[in-house]
Amino acid sequence: MAEPESVEILDLISFIRVVETGSIGGAASRLGIAKSIVSRRVSRLENFLGATLLTRSQKGTSLTDVGREYHVRAASGLAELESAQEMVVRSTTEASGLVRVSVPVAFGEFCLAPLLAEFAHLHPRIHFDVRFEDRQPDLVAEAYDLAVRIGSIPDSALITRKLAKVRWAVVASPSYLEARGRPSKPAELAAHNAILYSFDTVSWRFQGPDGWEQVRVNSQFRTDNGQMMLAAARGGLGIVVLPVFMVQESLARGDLEVLVPGYSHAGADLHILMPPARAGIARVRALVSFLYEKFEREV
């Protein structure tokens, strides 16, 4: 019995690069070939599969429904192939290639940017595409190698590793506290205006002398951006819970004050997330190991 025909690997790679870059031209530039070759390869793949994967227009390309489903599996399969190839040669070759990373905006600016620059100097053959974003991207569909996230991690097929403990502070501006009073216990926070992250609940948990306690807070202001939360607190809009690394300069200048001394906010920790197919790739392993060295215990 004859074996079924297989997809041409170059056609598959061309399709995946078109999706990653958003256009035929972007894929051609990434691959270093002519746009006509990329277009021909994608068309050949569609003909082989008997389905339209991409909708083409003057503005670029977009995935059809079946194309989206195919891309998720095809990108994962290509990553597995890259991982297998690198495992064979990793003992004699230096980690190289493109690493795509998603990091939270505030953490990226305050903590991660200088470290990534340091890592780039140590590994000149690794190239980077670092996206600062507070949304939760689909790492597989958007071809990310890894993401760094602060907060609760939903159950998923991703590999999740705790990177470090994050220290949190409850703070507000002197102007707000002069007008509304200075709470000294978590229960008193219920009478104040809280500045919340868009996806947070309205309850804050604290650990104090008598154990854990929870307080429900009221909020006038929500945002999905940590810098905006910080600016709102400095502007006197209310009380906010933020990582210490974000507020320490404002505390030193007197723009903010620490509240509820003697109590620690439950907060959330720092995690690395990776699609399983990316974890075995040498350049990804190198970056993960580097980050673990830099964040030994807490930030």
Side-chain angles (χ1 to χ4, degrees), residues 51-99:
T52 301
L53 304 177
L54 295 171
T55 300
R56 298 141 173 96
S57 69
Q58 292 182 345
K59 296 181 179 180
T61 61
S62 60
L63 286 165
T64 62
D65 289 342
V66 69
R68 187 173 294 104
E69 293 286 340
Y70 183 75
H71 172 258
V72 169
R73 291 164 175 76
S76 178
L78 182 60
E80 289 282 3
L81 178 60
E82 290 180 345
S83 178
Q85 290 173 332
E86 287 203 17
M87 282 192 294
V88 172
V89 300
R90 66 189 179 199
S91 62
T92 57
T93 61
E94 179 185 358
S96 62
L98 177 67
V99 175

Side-chain angles (χ1 to χ4, degrees), residues 26-34 37-38:
S29 178
R30 174 82 69 84
L31 295 169
I33 59 179
I37 296 177
V38 174

Side-chain angles (χ1 to χ4, degrees), residues 9-298:
I9 188 64
L10 293 179
D11 297 348
L12 182 64
I13 292 172
S14 296
F15 166 69
I16 291 172
R17 298 299 179 250
V18 170
V19 176
E20 290 176 355
T21 61
S23 68
I24 298 288
S29 178
R30 174 82 69 84
L31 295 169
I33 59 179
K35 291 192 291 185
S36 60
I37 296 177
V38 174
S39 181
R40 186 163 59 249
R41 286 178 177 174
V42 173
S43 295
R44 187 166 57 193
L45 176 63
E46 290 176 322
N47 290 335
F48 175 82
L49 296 173
T52 301
L53 304 177
L54 295 171
T55 300
R56 298 141 173 96
S57 69
Q58 292 182 345
K59 296 181 179 180
T61 61
S62 60
L63 286 165
T64 62
D65 289 342
V66 69
R68 187 173 294 104
E69 293 286 340
Y70 183 75
H71 172 258
V72 169
R73 291 164 175 76
S76 178
L78 182 60
E80 289 282 3
L81 178 60
E82 290 180 345
S83 178
Q85 290 173 332
E86 287 203 17
M87 282 192 294
V88 172
V89 300
R90 66 189 179 199
S91 62
T92 57
T93 61
E94 179 185 358
S96 62
L98 177 67
V99 175
R100 299 192 74 233
V101 185
S102 172
V103 301
V105 176
F107 177 74
E109 292 176 349
F110 281 93
C111 299
L112 201 56
L115 295 180
L116 289 177
E118 180 182 344
F119 181 79
H121 280 295
L122 295 173
H123 297 274
R125 294 182 61 190
I126 295 180
H127 303 275
F128 298 87
D129 182 357
V130 183
R131 305 297 176 94
F132 284 38
E133 50 193 359
D134 287 329
R135 69 185 182 95
Q136 302 288 341
D138 185 327
L139 301 189
V140 175
E142 298 179 47
Y144 280 107
D145 293 294
L146 64 88
V148 178
R149 284 290 175 266
I150 296 175
S152 58
I153 305 301
D155 293 335
S156 71
L158 299 174
I159 295 174
T160 303
R161 297 178 183 172
K162 180 178 175 179
L163 181 58
K165 181 176 178 59
V166 179
R167 295 174 297 148
W168 296 81
V170 185
V171 298
S173 69
S175 62
Y176 174 86
L177 297 173
E178 289 168 7
R180 299 288 299 274
R182 288 173 168 78
S184 59
K185 297 181 179 179
E188 298 174 6
L189 295 171
H192 287 264
N193 186 44
I195 300 167
L196 296 179
Y197 183 62
S198 295
F199 306 107
D200 281 349
T201 66
V202 294
S203 294
W204 288 347
R205 293 182 70 239
F206 295 87
Q207 187 173 30
D210 300 320
W212 288 99
E213 58 183 285
Q214 187 165 300
V215 57
R216 185 178 179 85
V217 295
N218 300 298
S219 177
Q220 176 197 4
F221 197 92
R222 281 179 176 265
T223 177
D224 66 352
N225 182 270
Q227 290 281 26
M228 184 69 248
M229 295 173 72
L230 178 60
R234 287 195 301 227
L237 289 182
I239 295 173
V240 69
V241 177
L242 286 172
V244 170
F245 66 77
M246 286 189 64
V247 301
Q248 53 193 2
E249 289 188 9
S250 296
L251 292 172
R253 291 194 304 263
D255 296 338
L256 296 174
E257 296 181 19
V258 174
L259 306 177
V260 291
Y263 294 85
S264 58
H265 185 268
D269 293 326
L270 185 67
H271 294 85
I272 288 178
L273 288 76
M274 294 176 288
R278 314 307 291 180
I281 297 176
R283 57 184 179 270
V284 178
R285 293 197 315 271
L287 178 56
V288 171
S289 297
F290 175 82
L291 293 178
Y292 270 103
E293 291 175 4
K294 295 299 179 179
F295 298 103
E296 292 184 1
R297 297 178 182 177
E298 62 182 19

